[in-house]
Amino acid sequence: MQAKYPGKNGVEAVWKQRDFNDGQVNNLALFEPRNNFWSAAYLYREIETDAAMDLPVSLGSDDTIQVWLNGKQLLAQNIHRPCAPDQERVTLKLNKGKNQLLMKICQGEGEWAFYFQAGKLEPPVPQGKYFADVSAQVGLGPDGAGAAVKGDTLTVCDVNGDGRADFLYGAGTGMLFLNTPQGFVLSRDCGIAYKPGKVGPIFGDFDGDGHPDLFVPQQGRCKLFKNDGKGRFTDVTANAGALANLDVHATSAAWGDLDNDGHLDLVIGCLRGPNRYLRNKGNGTFEDLTEAVGLDQRIFNTQGVCLVDLNNDGVLDMVFNNEGQESCVLLGNPALVTKRTPVTLAVNGRDGVIGSRVQVTDKQGKLHGVQEISGGDGRGGQRLAQARFALPPGVYRVQVRYSSGLTRAREITVAATPLRGQIDEQTPRME
């Protein structure tokens, strides 16, 4: 334990005593920031027994993990992933007396952590067929946060930009749970307050500052909350133009740039009244164009809204899931859009796609849009693994930060015709 080695960036690598907790995800980002990525750490402990025995252990890692017992390698997994319990299971065949356990955790990007729990374990769950319940380990479950209330929606989004997916629970007056390395924690000062129950909140960056804001459908007055980027929200409904005076029985909504002007518009699903289209004017306010696009001609009694380009003409179409009548598809009219070019980028990968963040900047570094590949929003929906932007012709840099911590980027050239592309794990890593 007195040995010293040359480490990363000229920093000497030495053994240090640490108090890690068994049965918990333990943070390994303990060094100066530049040494907390593309690095490796070794963990060593001694296990002493009175007799030879088999000891099952549960392991987790972010990212790569290798395990040796008494000099013999038991496990080697070269992988990018967030750390969680029960990602790997091994049995330690302990000798009588002192046994030496060594683990190596290699870090790519994002979080850096490991998990270790020894003891009697249940038989492993077949991979690819069932899910393991880790609710208790992450602060949820029957005895965890939110156990005393009942809700009916979950809206998933990274609200504070730390790369971990948080969620809004439709209970109480809206409960925002932040995803931390120690588990989920209820944010009691987030500023979100609304009346849950049969309504589906949605996150979207309506003001173009790179932070996901929140729209909540309501019976009567809907609510719009602005995010400061740290997960704290302010009710800005009163200053949002036509939205401030909207009096409807709203159940659902969807963000989407219907006129391709670079700003996210709102389509709101309503009961006992026509659905609404609110155009984002780009100055923090909205105008009601329901009549202009003909939505006032029929009452759909809509319970769910989806905006997607179904026919690949560069214009978003509307899909309404309705109560008491068939679902409805309305195709967008290309004549209604502006001169910006729609750009659709598919995000592919083995893991980390859900919860990934897609960002577009120009050559001067100016932000032109941020979208997240959500794990669920609205009335139980989950978006396609693609992000859509409307951009003036030019050259742009697109960066994807996967929820696994991996980042990939590419340069795109936007002309006058709709552009489709993709980013995956094979895309070069650009600084």
Side-chain angles (χ1 to χ4, degrees):
M1 294 295 101
Q2 305 305 314
K4 300 180 181 180
Y5 307 91
K8 185 172 181 177
N9 293 320
V11 179
E12 192 174 54
V14 299
W15 291 102
K16 292 184 179 181
Q17 182 87 24
R18 292 286 184 181
D19 292 324
F20 295 119
N21 295 316
D22 287 357
Q24 295 182 17
V25 173
N26 292 281
N27 179 32
L28 282 175
L30 305 172
F31 312 99
E32 57 179 286
R34 64 177 181 155
N35 291 331
N36 283 329
F37 59 92
W38 300 112
S39 302
Y42 287 85
L43 301 161
Y44 173 80
R45 72 190 299 175
E46 295 178 348
I47 303 174
E48 192 165 353
T49 65
D50 294 331
M53 62 178 292
D54 289 348
L55 180 67
V57 297
S58 168
L59 302 170
S61 66
D62 183 344
D63 297 302
T64 290
I65 182 172
Q66 291 177 269
V67 179
W68 296 265
L69 178 66
N70 297 325
K72 181 180 179 181
Q73 188 175 75
L74 304 181
L75 177 69
Q77 285 283 18
N78 186 14
I79 192 170
H80 278 282
R81 64 185 178 191
C83 182
D86 297 332
Q87 290 175 319
E88 313 291 343
R89 291 170 181 248
V90 298
T91 298
L92 305 181
K93 294 187 175 297
L94 302 176
N95 301 322
K96 179 181 178 180
K98 186 181 297 184
N99 295 266
Q100 298 177 325
L101 179 67
L102 181 67
M103 296 197 301
K104 178 183 180 182
I105 310 295
C106 295
Q107 161 65 346
E109 297 173 305
E111 300 291 337
W112 191 8
F114 81 99
Y115 175 92
F116 179 94
Q117 178 63 61
K120 184 177 180 180
L121 301 174
E122 296 295 327
V125 175
Q127 295 299 308
K129 192 172 182 181
Y130 300 99
F131 290 91
D133 187 351
V134 297
S135 303
Q137 291 96 312
V138 298
L140 303 174
D143 302 316
V149 295
K150 292 184 178 180
D152 64 349
T153 58
L154 285 177
T155 311
V156 183
C157 182
D158 177 10
V159 299
N160 54 9
D162 63 357
R164 295 184 292 267
D166 314 297
F167 69 87
L168 177 65
Y169 182 34
T173 57
M175 303 172 69
L176 181 65
F177 287 83
L178 299 179
N179 189 350
T180 74
Q182 292 74 41
F184 287 97
V185 177
L186 176 62
S187 176
R188 301 186 183 277
D189 61 348
C190 65
I192 297 174
Y194 66 97
K195 185 179 179 181
K198 299 182 180 180
V199 297
I202 53 171
F203 287 100
D205 180 16
F206 83 94
D207 54 1
D209 63 357
H211 310 312
D213 309 300
L214 177 69
F215 176 77
V216 183
Q218 296 276 256
Q219 182 175 355
R221 306 287 183 180
C222 299
K223 291 194 172 186
L224 180 66
F225 296 91
K226 177 177 171 56
N227 184 0
D228 68 354
K230 300 178 181 179
R232 293 184 175 86
F233 293 79
T234 303
D235 189 337
V236 295
T237 312
N239 300 318
L243 184 59
N245 301 315
L246 192 66
D247 189 358
V248 294
H249 188 171
T251 64
S252 52
W255 291 107
D257 188 357
L258 271 78
D259 57 359
N260 287 343
D261 67 349
H263 309 299
L264 290 180
D265 308 308
L266 269 174
V267 175
I268 305 172
C270 301
L271 298 179
R272 295 183 288 280
N275 295 339
R276 300 300 183 102
Y277 166 42
L278 271 65
R279 177 181 175 271
N280 188 343
K281 299 171 67 175
N283 59 1
T285 67
F286 295 80
E287 60 177 332
D288 193 338
L289 295 185
T290 302
E291 293 185 17
V293 298
L295 277 181
D296 63 321
Q297 300 175 24
R298 178 176 169 182
I299 295 176
F300 293 98
N301 285 323
T302 295
Q303 292 281 10
V305 178
C306 175
L307 301 178
V308 60
D309 183 3
L310 292 169
N311 53 1
N312 295 327
D313 64 353
V315 181
L316 288 177
D317 309 304
M318 302 179 186
V319 182
F320 299 144
N321 186 13
N322 304 317
E323 179 181 307
Q325 54 184 297
E326 292 183 353
S327 299
C328 179
V329 175
L330 302 180
L331 297 180
N333 186 352
L336 297 176
V337 303
T338 63
K339 295 182 179 179
R340 289 199 177 200
T341 302
V343 176
T344 303
L345 297 165
V347 180
N348 299 322
R350 292 170 297 175
D351 55 39
V353 172
I354 300 301
S356 59
R357 182 178 186 269
V358 186
Q359 173 181 294
V360 177
T361 54
D362 60 23
K363 280 193 168 183
Q364 289 70 44
K366 179 182 177 182
L367 182 67
H368 282 260
V370 173
Q371 290 191 26
E372 181 173 321
I373 308 301
S374 171
D377 62 4
R379 297 299 299 276
Q382 180 172 313
R383 302 179 195 178
L384 293 172
Q386 58 182 224
R388 184 182 184 278
F389 305 91
L391 304 170
V395 178
Y396 298 88
R397 182 178 187 269
V398 180
Q399 176 178 291
V400 175
R401 183 189 66 193
Y402 290 81
S403 59
S404 62
L406 191 71
T407 59
R408 289 293 182 264
R410 61 173 293 188
E411 190 176 89
I412 61 171
T413 300
V414 178
T417 56
L419 174 66
R420 287 182 171 269
Q422 72 172 24
I423 290 183
D424 56 29
E425 294 164 326
Q426 306 305 315
T427 303
R429 181 175 179 268
M430 296 174 60
E431 297 295 340

